[in-house]
Amino acid sequence: MGDGHDDGMLSWDESVFRDEHVFEIDYVPETFKHRESQLESLKYALRPAVRGSRPLNTMVRGPPGTGKTTAVQKLFGELRAQTEVRTVHVNCQVDSTRYAVFSRLFEAIFDYEPPSSGVSFKKLFRQVAEQLVEEDDVLVVALDDVNYLFYENEASDTLYSLLRAHEAHSGAKIGVILISSDLDLDVVDSLDSRVQSVFRPEEVYFPVYDVDEIYDILHERAKRGFHDGVAGRPELERVAELTAESGDLRVGIDLLKRAGLNAEMRASRTVSTEDIEEAYDKSKYVHLSRSLRGLTDSERTLLAVVADHDGEQAGEVYEAFHERTDLGYTRYSEIVNKLDRLNLIEAEYTDVDGRGRSRSLELQYDADAVLDRLEDV
């Protein structure tokens, strides 16, 4: 391996990366492009909080990888830096019950986690609300991937507690931002009537980026994350094209990182088109990997069973699933519905000769890709 700049090769202690963290999914960029109107709508909803009042509740919707989480995190960062408003971002893919959500709120407000057992929800809720009243604080809660609360039938109870906190504890000021990537989920219609009566959210929609916007955003990331000259225009254009095919900006960000690592494997100072094409085989599954990390063991088991019995009838899949888990048909059916709503499988009703209608279960991804990633979770 050469050690000089003249041969275009990296020495052992060099890197193509200026700042590798720029290519992490949770990185919040300094410049956030092509979402000006969405940011303004969110600021409008949050402005009352800056004046000490409850903010407007907001519903943020859009396909995966369209900047929803980044927009909210960017505004939360500004609020924390410039105001006394308390902000808490909850990942509902991880915290998918009312108790888990309020545990995150407790942790943010008191700077330590509540006891892992022995504390009722009622007590947890009271401590959070009373602290907000005592400090005269405004709390803004972002429930990210709120669709997971719906999948677990926890959404109505969670929102009811948040939105009616001021009734039980006069002076409690809590606003809610719901973030959902499930475009088939009608959030308001899916809530209990007791919650619908108080939840009238502002709606902010994040559309898919077009290829020029993707190029613009990825060019900015490459400029901050790579050393000068590592990724040229033709290479960035190819990354943008592949990203546009998926519709998910996170694919492009992951693709840049993996392409950079591939270049380093070759001890090259520049990313080639071959580095990108090779990296795409893994980067195109970034959404799949993220979805798998949010599943329980039994949900992952069912997905593995479906991969082994792709296209078979639900009854046959259940037999194999029951053999592995000993779980009953009711729980099995609930998991099937959840995986279907996550677009990991398609559960489609078909006519079966002599047996009426039955559901056939098909993976929405390549079976080998699913099984490989299940091993890594």
Side-chain angles (χ1 to χ4, degrees):
M1 187 186 295
D3 59 2
H5 285 258
D6 293 339
D7 60 8
M9 303 293 281
L10 288 172
S11 62
W12 67 272
D13 59 346
E14 288 183 304
S15 173
V16 298
F17 296 101
R18 190 196 309 273
D19 181 0
E20 201 166 341
H21 180 58
V22 166
F23 302 112
E24 296 299 325
I25 300 301
D26 61 354
Y27 174 77
V28 179
E30 288 179 37
T31 53
F32 188 49
K33 298 183 172 184
H34 307 297
R35 288 296 181 250
E36 290 79 10
S37 66
Q38 287 83 0
L39 284 171
E40 284 305 312
S41 296
L42 285 168
K43 285 179 182 176
Y44 169 79
L46 291 171
R47 195 160 281 124
V50 179
R51 299 192 291 266
S53 302
R54 270 191 300 159
L56 302 176
N57 298 314
T58 309
M59 181 69 237
V60 175
R61 296 174 66 248
T66 51
K68 302 181 296 299
T69 298
T70 301
V72 171
Q73 288 180 327
K74 191 162 185 63
L75 290 182
F76 274 13
E78 291 177 11
L79 281 174
R80 286 193 297 270
Q82 300 171 20
T83 74
E84 298 298 313
V85 176
R86 285 185 175 272
T87 61
V88 183
H89 175 267
V90 181
N91 178 359
C92 297
Q93 191 177 11
V94 177
D95 298 308
S96 58
T97 66
R98 178 176 65 165
Y99 194 93
V101 168
F102 272 82
S103 293
R104 293 288 78 76
L105 303 188
F106 183 99
E107 184 180 356
I109 288 169
F110 292 101
D111 291 324
Y112 62 89
E113 291 187 22
S116 57
S117 62
V119 179
S120 68
F121 171 77
K122 192 173 181 180
K123 183 176 180 181
L124 195 68
F125 171 70
R126 186 180 72 245
Q127 288 177 312
V128 167
E130 286 179 352
Q131 183 69 9
L132 291 175
V133 173
E134 186 178 324
E135 299 292 329
D136 194 27
D137 283 337
V138 179
L139 173 65
V140 185
V141 182
L143 298 178
D144 203 349
D145 280 326
V146 72
N147 31 300
Y148 282 85
L149 289 182
F150 284 92
Y151 303 155
E152 303 299 334
N153 296 316
E154 293 275 346
S156 289
D157 285 344
T158 304
L159 280 172
Y160 185 82
S161 297
L162 288 168
L163 297 172
R164 292 194 176 274
H166 64 284
E167 294 179 3
H169 300 271
S170 181
K173 291 171 282 193
I174 301 176
V176 178
I177 298 174
L178 305 186
I179 306 173
S180 175
S181 297
D182 185 346
L183 300 183
D184 294 327
L185 175 67
D186 190 319
V187 167
V188 175
D189 282 354
S190 301
L191 292 167
D192 290 352
S193 57
R194 63 195 171 120
V195 185
Q196 288 181 1
S197 64
V198 292
F199 187 56
R200 293 286 181 268
E202 299 290 307
E203 293 216 11
V204 184
Y205 185 75
F206 283 66
V208 172
Y209 293 107
D210 66 35
V211 69
D212 291 334
E213 290 170 338
I214 291 170
Y215 177 87
D216 200 20
I217 294 166
L218 294 181
H219 178 261
E220 184 72 26
R221 289 280 177 119
K223 193 164 65 174
R224 291 180 182 275
F226 287 135
H227 288 300
D228 293 344
V230 169
R233 186 176 184 92
E235 289 73 34
L236 288 174
E237 285 178 343
R238 181 57 182 150
V239 174
E241 286 172 11
L242 292 169
T243 305
E245 286 178 19
S246 72
D248 188 336
L249 185 66
R250 292 173 301 193
V251 170
I253 294 167
D254 188 72
L255 187 48
L256 285 176
K257 179 180 180 178
R258 290 182 186 274
L261 292 171
N262 285 349
E264 287 191 338
M265 283 288 289
R266 299 187 295 108
S268 172
R269 295 182 182 281
T270 58
V271 167
S272 70
T273 304
E274 289 74 20
D275 292 326
I276 294 164
E277 301 294 345
E278 184 183 333
Y280 185 61
D281 284 338
K282 292 185 177 178
S283 293
K284 66 184 176 183
Y285 292 117
V286 68
H287 183 64
L288 169 63
S289 298
R290 185 171 180 272
S291 296
L292 296 182
R293 284 195 295 272
L295 299 180
T296 63
D297 288 343
S298 54
E299 289 162 356
R300 291 182 193 132
T301 299
L302 178 53
L303 199 60
V305 170
V306 174
D308 291 336
H309 299 265
D310 200 13
E312 293 185 16
Q313 299 301 311
E316 294 159 341
V317 175
Y318 168 68
E319 288 173 13
F321 174 71
H322 178 70
E323 213 171 277
R324 290 199 204 180
T325 64
D326 210 31
L327 290 173
Y329 196 87
T330 301
R331 181 62 187 138
Y332 162 74
S333 187
E334 289 171 351
I335 296 174
V336 167
N337 291 337
K338 178 176 178 178
L339 297 180
D340 188 20
R341 295 182 74 171
L342 285 171
N343 291 319
L344 291 171
I345 66 172
E346 183 175 18
E348 193 168 22
Y349 281 96
T350 56
D351 291 317
V352 181
D353 289 343
R355 291 164 56 187
R357 290 174 65 74
S358 175
R359 285 197 291 185
S360 63
L361 307 183
E362 291 188 12
L363 284 177
Q364 295 289 67
Y365 294 89
D366 176 73
D368 289 337
V370 170
L371 293 171
D372 286 348
R373 280 152 187 80
L374 281 171
E375 287 182 10
D376 295 335
V377 174

